[in-house]
Amino acid sequence: MSRSVPSGTVHFSDEALAKIVDALPLCAPPERVALLPQIFRAWAQEDLREHLSREGRKAARKQEDQLHSIAKQARGLIDAFEELPPTAQFLAALRPELYQTQQTLLDVTAVSIEVARQRFDHGVAWLTDLAEALHEPQPKMLPDTQTRNHLVTLDLAAIFQLVSEKRPTRQINTGTGKDYGPFWTFASAVWPVIFGSSSGLSAANKRWATKVSRQRKLARNNVCNASGLLGRDLTCAERCTVERRFGEYSSFVANLQFRHPDLWQKLREPR
């Protein structure tokens, strides 16, 4: 049995970090490997801590109920406006403008009326979009542990690629059916530090790899479709834009660029 998920920041000791470094591929650039302790400590303080403190499904359901309530009220407000006679609609549109400009009905100008009309139209349009968007069915929530483990695995894959410069993949031994390979070795060294054992890692690794494979296939199909519509091959920049649109990425690397610019600069320095 694994211990309960830590409520605070996970501590990566020097001993744990040494084992994680040893789990990296031998071909990993040494100057990047040397930065791994800083990377992991930044991850533990920020993104990992956020993953481990995610609200439970009960809280998520409560939030969704609140949003549905807002959608219902927005729809009711729109219906109430639509039921008003034209004169009352005009006054409803005009009064916020008069209030904002500290004017009275005697001060109304054609400009005030046009501004009021535009604000009213935009407001109703926004309420309509809000009501429709909040009523859209949302993807089924994963159980808490699955969501948390998936986010951790997604970050680990990003860190592995950042440090080793190798794309993380899932490899399966056809004889035993068990996971193996460079990324598995790396993740296996990190997982027990966070959760106390390797429990849940194999399932998280499978779920991550399945999702990545599905999204890469979707990205390839969309690249082909875009090429067909344009009648030419996409440029590298265009291809990357499409792949980013349909891919799933860890936010940790992006966060690292903004929160730790000095560390990021070291990672970006040419070898």
Side-chain angles (χ1 to χ4, degrees):
M1 293 290 291
S2 64
R3 61 178 168 83
S4 59
V5 177
S7 58
T9 304
V10 174
H11 175 65
F12 287 95
S13 65
D14 291 340
E15 181 183 2
L17 287 167
K19 291 180 179 179
I20 295 169
V21 167
D22 288 343
L24 285 166
L26 294 176
C27 59
E31 61 274 16
R32 286 179 173 249
V33 173
L35 297 173
L36 186 138
Q38 290 178 253
I39 294 171
F40 263 87
R41 284 169 178 150
W43 182 51
Q45 288 285 340
E46 295 152 3
D47 295 66
L48 178 58
R49 185 173 186 173
E50 182 178 338
H51 298 335
L52 299 179
S53 62
R54 287 175 62 84
E55 293 181 328
R57 296 187 73 180
K58 183 177 180 181
R61 280 194 296 269
K62 180 180 179 182
Q63 178 177 283
E64 197 62 27
D65 289 342
Q66 291 172 325
L67 292 176
H68 279 297
S69 176
I70 291 173
K72 184 178 180 179
Q73 293 176 61
R75 186 69 260 174
L77 186 57
I78 294 167
D79 292 342
F81 277 130
E82 291 177 347
E83 291 172 1
L84 290 174
T87 303
Q89 279 195 8
F90 172 75
L91 288 174
L94 189 58
R95 283 188 180 179
E97 181 64 18
L98 296 178
Y99 175 79
Q100 187 179 55
T101 59
Q102 294 297 300
Q103 292 178 319
T104 67
L105 283 172
L106 298 175
D107 303 316
V108 171
T109 64
V111 173
S112 298
I113 293 173
E114 179 60 21
V115 171
R117 185 190 64 78
Q118 290 182 9
R119 290 184 67 196
F120 179 82
D121 289 344
H122 291 161
V124 172
W126 184 84
L127 283 172
T128 302
D129 290 343
L130 177 68
E132 292 178 356
L134 294 181
H135 268 303
E136 278 289 308
Q138 297 299 304
K140 185 178 179 181
M141 289 185 296
L142 290 172
D144 291 338
T145 53
Q146 289 187 20
T147 303
R148 179 201 68 207
N149 291 359
H150 177 69
L151 292 172
V152 171
T153 307
L154 199 63
D155 282 357
L156 286 178
I159 293 171
F160 176 85
Q161 184 164 351
L162 185 65
V163 176
S164 71
E165 296 186 330
K166 299 293 181 184
R167 173 176 282 187
T169 59
R170 183 184 184 227
Q171 296 173 259
I172 302 295
N173 186 309
T174 54
T176 63
K178 294 184 177 181
D179 296 86
Y180 79 102
F183 177 57
W184 173 257
T185 301
F186 174 75
S188 296
V190 181
W191 202 266
V193 182
I194 302 171
F195 299 111
S197 78
S198 295
S199 177
L201 174 57
S202 182
N205 193 39
K206 179 180 179 180
R207 192 176 301 109
W208 163 79
T210 300
K211 195 163 187 178
V212 167
S213 176
R214 187 184 303 122
Q215 290 176 324
R216 283 177 182 164
K217 182 178 179 180
L218 181 62
R220 285 196 299 269
N221 289 340
N222 279 276
V223 166
C224 290
N225 291 339
S227 297
L229 289 171
L230 294 172
R232 60 171 175 80
D233 290 338
L234 268 62
T235 65
C236 289
E238 291 170 337
R239 183 183 294 271
C240 287
T241 298
V242 174
E243 289 176 348
R244 281 196 297 269
R245 169 67 177 80
F246 293 95
E248 183 181 33
Y249 298 94
S250 159
S251 61
F252 172 65
V253 174
N255 290 339
L256 196 65
Q257 299 178 48
F258 294 103
R259 294 171 178 168
H260 303 276
D262 292 341
L263 175 56
W264 180 250
Q265 182 58 38
K266 292 176 183 177
L267 287 164
R268 300 297 296 170
E269 286 175 358
R271 288 186 283 131

